[in-house]
Amino acid sequence: MTQEKLEIFKYLEGWAEENMLTFLKKVEDSWQPQDFLPDATSKCFTDEVKDIRARSEGLPDEYYVCLVGNMITEEALPTYQSFLNSLNGTHDETGDSMKSWARWTRSWTAEENRHGDLLNKYLYLTGRLNMKQIEKTIHYLISSGMNMQAENSPYLGFIYTSFQERATFISHGNTARMAKVHGDVTLAKICGTIAADEKRHEMAYTKVVEKLFAVDPNTTMVSLADMMRKRITMPAALLYDGQDNNLFNHYSAVAQRIGVYTTKDYGDILEFFLERWGVGEITGLSADGREAQEYVCGLAERIRKLEERTQKWSGSKCSQMMPFSWIFNREVEV
Ligand SMILES: [Fe+2]
Ligand SMILES: [Fe+2]
């Protein structure tokens, strides 16, 4: 990041105050995990837990694999806050900086913190899961960290977070729909509420990228192409439970098969953002910017073709059963 680029983010601090921080909810107006959980101080507590357990019987193992994977991804929140604080020009310089970028990062983290907390507690109460294995996986994942390949650049960083928030919005939205189909309306409400947060965060990050396209179209275009060439890696890519060296791929394969998050979604997200940011219509670019624009505008189509080929291939391949430690090594088709 050159001094000139750092100046852009300094200049945008006031803009972020008025256009980004406004997407956050006040603590007093926010939902908390306890709103969706049995009250441990109430006489009805054990009955309510029994209800959760009864409803959980209707949900298949493959669904639990996806939901647990999503919950573990949320629980690795320290990694994502570290990531945001690695970005030059927008990081929290003191830990309690009053600059708008830093305030966003802390409040965003506080909002996100409820996601893993709520899912973790609810899943624990179902009594169907190997919590020790799940906790070990969280421990491993936070210890491993994650390189989002943003190279300390807020241009790359905010493109990454836009994608991630939309991906989680889609994924939690799908687990909500499936919970409803399987008869657990409380779980559907939980996943739906989390999905709504992700949507709000997506809107904030996409607004930042939209602004970056307006003030510095060339760097933003080159950054978008750069991020897409590297591919947006999922934050749980280093998933490990102490047993399965290929756990992320196995979890992703289940998510793909039952439709919680698919390669088609990845292409759709790119297409959505190309439209949202009007990427094809941006003018005034230099040669490298135009080359980047051409690349990203053609990419959605290439991803779609690749996806169709993968679909055909997976339709013809033999299914394989994999044990997942999170569900006591019961086997699920991947
Ligand atoms: Fe989240
Ligand atoms: Fe999120």
Side-chain angles (χ1 to χ4, degrees), residues 74 108 112 115 165 168 198 201:
E74 294 286 349
W108 171 86
E112 285 283 339
H115 300 173
E165 296 289 359
T168 48
E198 309 294 12
H201 295 160

mmCIF file of all heavy atoms in Angstrom, residues 74 108 112 115 165 168 198 201, ligand 2:
data_model
loop_
_atom_site.group_PDB
_atom_site.id
_atom_site.type_symbol
_atom_site.label_atom_id
_atom_site.label_comp_id
_atom_site.label_asym_id
_atom_site.label_seq_id
_atom_site.Cartn_x
_atom_site.Cartn_y
_atom_site.Cartn_z
ATOM 1 N N GLU A 74 -17.961 -20.501 12.079
ATOM 2 C CA GLU A 74 -18.303 -19.298 12.854
ATOM 3 C C GLU A 74 -17.426 -19.190 14.104
ATOM 4 O O GLU A 74 -17.017 -18.095 14.485
ATOM 5 C CB GLU A 74 -19.780 -19.332 13.278
ATOM 6 C CG GLU A 74 -20.789 -19.253 12.142
ATOM 7 C CD GLU A 74 -20.906 -17.850 11.538
ATOM 8 O OE1 GLU A 74 -20.370 -16.897 12.128
ATOM 9 O OE2 GLU A 74 -21.528 -17.730 10.474
ATOM 10 N N TRP A 108 -18.577 -5.479 14.290
ATOM 11 C CA TRP A 108 -18.867 -6.612 13.400
ATOM 12 C C TRP A 108 -18.516 -7.922 14.116
ATOM 13 O O TRP A 108 -19.295 -8.878 14.106
ATOM 14 C CB TRP A 108 -18.047 -6.476 12.100
ATOM 15 C CG TRP A 108 -18.108 -7.683 11.231
ATOM 16 C CD1 TRP A 108 -19.051 -7.977 10.300
ATOM 17 C CD2 TRP A 108 -17.173 -8.787 11.217
ATOM 18 N NE1 TRP A 108 -18.775 -9.201 9.716
ATOM 19 C CE2 TRP A 108 -17.637 -9.706 10.260
ATOM 20 C CE3 TRP A 108 -16.007 -9.082 11.926
ATOM 21 C CZ2 TRP A 108 -16.975 -10.909 9.985
ATOM 22 C CZ3 TRP A 108 -15.346 -10.273 11.661
ATOM 23 C CH2 TRP A 108 -15.828 -11.175 10.703
ATOM 24 N N GLU A 112 -20.949 -10.980 15.053
ATOM 25 C CA GLU A 112 -20.653 -12.332 14.555
ATOM 26 C C GLU A 112 -20.481 -13.334 15.699
ATOM 27 O O GLU A 112 -20.801 -14.504 15.560
ATOM 28 C CB GLU A 112 -19.371 -12.305 13.713
ATOM 29 C CG GLU A 112 -19.539 -11.706 12.331
ATOM 30 C CD GLU A 112 -20.212 -12.666 11.364
ATOM 31 O OE1 GLU A 112 -20.200 -13.884 11.613
ATOM 32 O OE2 GLU A 112 -20.744 -12.183 10.342
ATOM 33 N N HIS A 115 -23.111 -15.831 16.498
ATOM 34 C CA HIS A 115 -23.468 -16.918 15.575
ATOM 35 C C HIS A 115 -22.947 -18.269 16.061
ATOM 36 O O HIS A 115 -23.702 -19.232 16.180
ATOM 37 C CB HIS A 115 -22.935 -16.634 14.165
ATOM 38 C CG HIS A 115 -23.488 -15.368 13.576
ATOM 39 N ND1 HIS A 115 -23.046 -14.836 12.383
ATOM 40 C CD2 HIS A 115 -24.442 -14.519 14.032
ATOM 41 C CE1 HIS A 115 -23.715 -13.725 12.131
ATOM 42 N NE2 HIS A 115 -24.562 -13.513 13.121
ATOM 43 N N GLU A 165 -19.380 -13.003 3.230
ATOM 44 C CA GLU A 165 -20.661 -12.729 3.890
ATOM 45 C C GLU A 165 -21.811 -13.258 3.038
ATOM 46 O O GLU A 165 -22.768 -13.826 3.556
ATOM 47 C CB GLU A 165 -20.839 -11.227 4.153
ATOM 48 C CG GLU A 165 -19.829 -10.624 5.111
ATOM 49 C CD GLU A 165 -20.009 -11.051 6.576
ATOM 50 O OE1 GLU A 165 -20.936 -11.809 6.892
ATOM 51 O OE2 GLU A 165 -19.193 -10.619 7.395
ATOM 52 N N THR A 168 -21.920 -17.082 3.339
ATOM 53 C CA THR A 168 -22.507 -17.555 4.596
ATOM 54 C C THR A 168 -24.006 -17.252 4.645
ATOM 55 O O THR A 168 -24.773 -18.034 5.207
ATOM 56 C CB THR A 168 -21.798 -16.954 5.837
ATOM 57 O OG1 THR A 168 -21.667 -15.543 5.650
ATOM 58 C CG2 THR A 168 -20.439 -17.553 6.059
ATOM 59 N N GLU A 198 -25.789 -11.999 8.230
ATOM 60 C CA GLU A 198 -24.778 -12.118 7.172
ATOM 61 C C GLU A 198 -25.154 -11.217 5.993
ATOM 62 O O GLU A 198 -24.307 -10.579 5.381
ATOM 63 C CB GLU A 198 -24.643 -13.570 6.678
ATOM 64 C CG GLU A 198 -24.435 -14.634 7.750
ATOM 65 C CD GLU A 198 -23.115 -14.535 8.506
ATOM 66 O OE1 GLU A 198 -22.415 -13.521 8.385
ATOM 67 O OE2 GLU A 198 -22.810 -15.490 9.242
ATOM 68 N N HIS A 201 -24.292 -7.673 6.828
ATOM 69 C CA HIS A 201 -22.847 -7.472 6.725
ATOM 70 C C HIS A 201 -22.412 -7.447 5.260
ATOM 71 O O HIS A 201 -21.550 -6.658 4.873
ATOM 72 C CB HIS A 201 -22.096 -8.580 7.470
ATOM 73 C CG HIS A 201 -22.333 -8.576 8.959
ATOM 74 N ND1 HIS A 201 -22.111 -9.661 9.760
ATOM 75 C CD2 HIS A 201 -22.788 -7.590 9.783
ATOM 76 C CE1 HIS A 201 -22.409 -9.354 11.024
ATOM 77 N NE2 HIS A 201 -22.831 -8.103 11.049
HETATM 78 FE FE FE B 2 -20.463 -13.103 8.538
#
